[in-house]
Amino acid sequence: NTMEQLAEVSAHIRTKKIRQLMIDGVQFIHPSTVHIDFDVEIGVGSVIYPNVTLLGKTKIGDRVVLESGAFVKNSIVYNDVEILANSYLEEALVHEEATIGPMARLRPGADIGPESKIGNYVEVKKSKLAKGVKVSHLSYVGDAEIGENTNVGCGFITCNYDGVNKHKTKIGSNTFIGSDVQMVAPIEVGNDAFVAAGSTITKSIPDGGFGKI
């Protein structure tokens, strides 16, 4: 009937949950430091480091690594994914063999394709990234679609908000986006295109095109 009693009961439920997961084949490096809701699911062979928080209807696949400080809420993480230290996921979808972080943020609607990489200080919101996409450093991807094996350089920004409405950015497959590029949505960049570093792109680029401003 008190906050102290609530904390005691919650701790008991968490301990019971973690014990069952360990019996089922999940490794916890320091179980007492992990906060996990009762409905969270974790697959066999996954490794949970200290100070991880798993909330809501989160589902973690097999052989997933969650490093210290990872915060995952109402998200689905498929097999063989790495969530590196201090990354924050909310209502996100991460497909097989992707790597997230360290210190990345996936906001609601982030859909990260297989074998993709979301690096340090990268924020993704309401965007679908296909297989093998790399956004490795200091970037914001919002309201976007990015095709397979496209590489996005450091300091990339989708300028998706005009002060009133949100607009979409579409980038094709096998495209190279240089560092410090801003794309003013709505805009489309085709397959096999190249955008030079330091450019502000306000017009669409066709397949195989070159963009520089």
Side-chain angles (χ1 to χ4, degrees):
N1 298 317
T2 67
M3 291 297 104
E4 181 182 13
Q5 291 173 330
L6 176 61
E8 290 174 356
V9 172
S10 297
H12 174 73
I13 293 171
R14 284 197 304 274
T15 298
K16 182 178 179 181
K17 172 76 173 182
I18 290 171
R19 283 176 178 169
Q20 184 59 55
L21 286 168
M22 288 192 288
I23 290 170
D24 293 339
V26 179
Q27 181 182 1
F28 288 82
I29 304 298
H30 196 334
S32 65
T33 67
V34 175
H35 183 95
I36 182 170
D37 282 351
F38 193 77
D39 291 332
V40 170
E41 300 177 17
I42 307 177
V44 174
S46 291
V47 181
I48 313 300
Y49 279 75
N51 301 310
V52 168
T53 300
L54 302 170
L55 302 180
K57 301 293 185 179
T58 291
K59 295 183 180 180
I60 305 295
D62 298 339
R63 300 174 302 279
V64 172
V65 175
L66 290 115
E67 290 188 349
S68 296
F71 185 105
V72 185
K73 181 178 181 181
N74 293 322
S75 297
I76 299 175
V77 177
Y78 285 89
N79 299 339
D80 302 298
V81 167
E82 289 186 296
I83 308 294
L84 303 182
N86 300 308
S87 295
Y88 189 107
L89 287 69
E90 181 180 5
E91 296 178 23
L93 184 62
V94 182
H95 292 271
E96 293 84 353
E97 300 183 45
T99 301
I100 308 298
M103 294 170 287
R105 184 183 181 190
L106 302 185
R107 292 169 55 190
D111 185 346
I112 309 303
E115 303 176 30
S116 290
K117 179 181 179 181
I118 303 299
N120 48 291
Y121 302 107
V122 173
E123 179 178 348
V124 181
K125 187 268 296 190
K126 200 177 178 182
S127 296
K128 183 177 179 63
L129 280 58
K131 181 178 179 180
V133 172
K134 293 180 175 62
V135 188
S136 296
H137 320 280
L138 297 156
S139 295
Y140 170 66
V141 180
D143 299 286
E145 292 181 10
I146 303 179
E148 289 189 7
N149 300 315
T150 285
N151 186 87
V152 176
C154 179
F156 170 78
I157 300 172
T158 54
C159 305
N160 59 324
Y161 185 51
D162 63 7
V164 179
N165 298 306
K166 299 289 179 70
H167 301 283
K168 195 161 190 175
T169 298
K170 293 185 178 181
I171 301 173
S173 300
N174 303 303
T175 287
F176 184 90
I177 309 296
S179 296
D180 192 27
V181 167
Q182 300 85 45
M183 290 196 173
V184 182
I187 198 166
E188 294 189 28
V189 177
N191 302 322
D192 303 297
F194 189 102
V195 179
S199 297
T200 299
I201 303 300
T202 59
K203 296 181 180 179
S204 294
I205 300 171
D207 291 350
F210 179 79
K212 181 180 180 181
I213 297 291

